Amino acid sequence: MMGEQFWWFYDLIVVAAVAASMYISGGKGAMKAFATFVAYLVAIVLGLSISASVSDSLSRNSIKNSNAKKINTTLENYKFCDKVAECIAGMDYHIKVETAQLEKIYMGNKNYDDEIFRLLNNRTSRKIPDTKEVFAEKLHKGYAEIIKSIVADELGKYAAEVAYREALENPEYFDLFIPLINTKEDHRPAADFISDYYTRPAYRTMIWLITFMIFFTLILVGMLLLMNYVIGNHYHEQQLASHIGGALIGIPKGLILSFAAAVTVRLFVVMGSDEMLFFNFKAVDKTYLFKYLYNYVADHM
């Protein structure tokens, strides 16, 4: 796939950031290097804390409402039971289910999975080859595909993939969602549900990544100016040990810069696609160093 051959570029970022930081910090000496390290540390801790809070708030309010409006457009003429019937037809049972039968099941308050499983077995002279549990897994996967297609129409690939993951990991959500999607008068409650339960994690991640880079940069610049003002005019004789100590302090500073680079790469991936030339997830996965930073960002932000 295009871009995978550039996996070395990501490791080069880490090596270059650490090497440059060691060189600059070694030249400054241990005391100034430690002061700037404190600036880096404060910037990353506060950047992560503030951006997490901001992203959670925005994704719960303004972004949620905006996404719900877009999804509602897709749902205006959406035939949910038709999509479920298509899903069942693709399960290799060679059974065609009528939309009206599904509508009747979904209008009731019984267990939807059990009722559809019973319907399929009653339609044939022999039972379907899957157990109830296996059938439920297939049905829930079909539900997840339905959610993915709805989200993809308006919100893009990354949001659709996250919605698919959320639907698979939380099949119980669909028991709450089905009565909403089958309401013919107003689909806004269903759109709100999708936005809140299926797409909010994707947008929380996007906002977190963006706001982290903004706050990290602003706080870092402010802290560096402050540290330079506090100790910049004080003269200290530089000994060899001080230069060595400064170089060693430069290592964690370089890693913090590499972490910021991993956040940037992750942002390009979620905002675009994993097929981009340099921002390719598979290329990152081939790296020796960068993947640990990137995977941490992907798992925790």
Side-chain angles (χ1 to χ4, degrees):
M1 184 178 292
M2 185 175 66
E4 291 184 47
Q5 67 269 29
F6 294 104
W7 63 267
W8 51 268
F9 176 79
Y10 301 102
D11 277 343
L12 182 61
I13 292 175
V14 179
V15 173
V18 172
S21 185
M22 290 180 68
Y23 177 78
I24 295 172
S25 297
K28 290 182 177 180
M31 190 182 80
K32 288 188 176 181
F34 181 76
T36 55
F37 169 67
V38 171
Y40 277 68
L41 190 61
V42 170
I44 193 170
V45 171
L46 288 182
L48 287 170
S49 177
I50 296 173
S51 61
S53 177
V54 169
S55 63
D56 192 61
S57 177
L58 287 177
S59 63
R60 285 183 182 275
N61 298 297
S62 58
I63 299 299
K64 170 190 171 181
N65 293 332
S66 174
N67 288 344
K69 290 179 181 178
K70 295 177 181 178
I71 294 170
N72 191 47
T73 301
T74 301
L75 295 181
E76 286 180 354
N77 299 306
Y78 201 81
K79 304 295 183 182
F80 173 72
C81 289
D82 288 350
K83 297 296 182 180
V84 176
E86 292 175 10
C87 168
I88 295 174
M91 291 183 184
D92 297 326
Y93 297 148
H94 305 292
I95 301 174
K96 182 180 179 181
V97 178
E98 298 296 331
T99 299
Q101 293 176 309
L102 292 173
E103 289 177 346
K104 184 177 179 181
I105 290 174
Y106 288 138
M107 287 176 62
N109 295 319
K110 298 180 180 180
N111 185 297
Y112 300 139
D113 295 352
D114 288 352
E115 289 297 307
I116 296 175
F117 183 76
R118 186 177 296 110
L119 171 67
L120 297 184
N121 279 318
N122 289 341
R123 285 289 303 270
T124 60
S125 58
R126 58 185 178 84
K127 293 183 178 297
I128 62 175
D130 290 327
T131 63
K132 184 190 301 183
E133 291 74 21
V134 172
F135 167 74
E137 288 181 6
K138 290 183 177 180
L139 183 62
H140 295 162
K141 187 175 181 179
Y143 287 160
E145 290 287 354
I146 290 172
I147 290 293
K148 180 180 177 179
S149 66
I150 293 173
V151 173
D153 285 344
E154 294 290 340
L155 302 182
K157 181 178 179 180
Y158 177 69
E161 291 294 339
V162 172
Y164 177 79
R165 181 197 69 198
E166 292 295 315
L168 279 184
E169 293 179 354
N170 302 281
E172 68 278 6
Y173 289 172
F174 245 88
D175 289 339
L176 303 174
F177 174 68
I178 287 173
L180 301 178
I181 190 67
N182 278 325
T183 301
K184 298 180 180 180
E185 292 78 12
D186 183 11
H187 287 110
R188 182 56 192 258
D192 285 337
F193 191 95
I194 293 174
S195 180
D196 199 22
Y197 286 88
Y198 295 120
T199 68
R200 192 170 73 85
Y203 282 85
R204 182 176 184 273
T205 293
M206 294 180 192
I207 298 169
W208 194 349
L209 294 171
I210 293 171
T211 53
F212 169 76
M213 290 307 302
I214 293 172
F215 285 112
F216 173 76
T217 302
L218 292 176
I219 295 171
L220 179 59
V221 171
M223 287 297 298
L224 289 175
L225 291 174
L226 176 63
M227 292 299 179
N228 185 63
Y229 175 78
V230 172
I231 67 172
N233 296 324
H234 295 277
Y235 174 80
H236 294 277
E237 183 180 355
Q238 297 294 318
Q239 302 293 334
L240 178 60
S242 179
H243 290 298
I244 295 175
L248 293 176
I249 293 172
I251 296 175
K253 288 170 58 180
L255 292 176
I256 291 175
L257 289 176
S258 299
F259 179 85
V263 171
T264 304
V265 172
R266 179 62 178 166
L267 179 59
F268 273 90
V269 169
V270 301
M271 296 295 288
S273 72
D274 63 355
E275 297 173 357
M276 298 173 66
L277 180 60
F278 276 98
F279 303 103
N280 185 286
F281 180 80
K282 290 187 177 181
V284 171
D285 201 43
K286 289 183 177 181
T287 62
Y288 294 98
L289 302 173
F290 190 81
K291 64 182 177 183
Y292 295 105
L293 295 170
Y294 181 89
N295 288 339
Y296 181 88
V297 171
D299 291 341
H300 294 86
M301 295 182 71

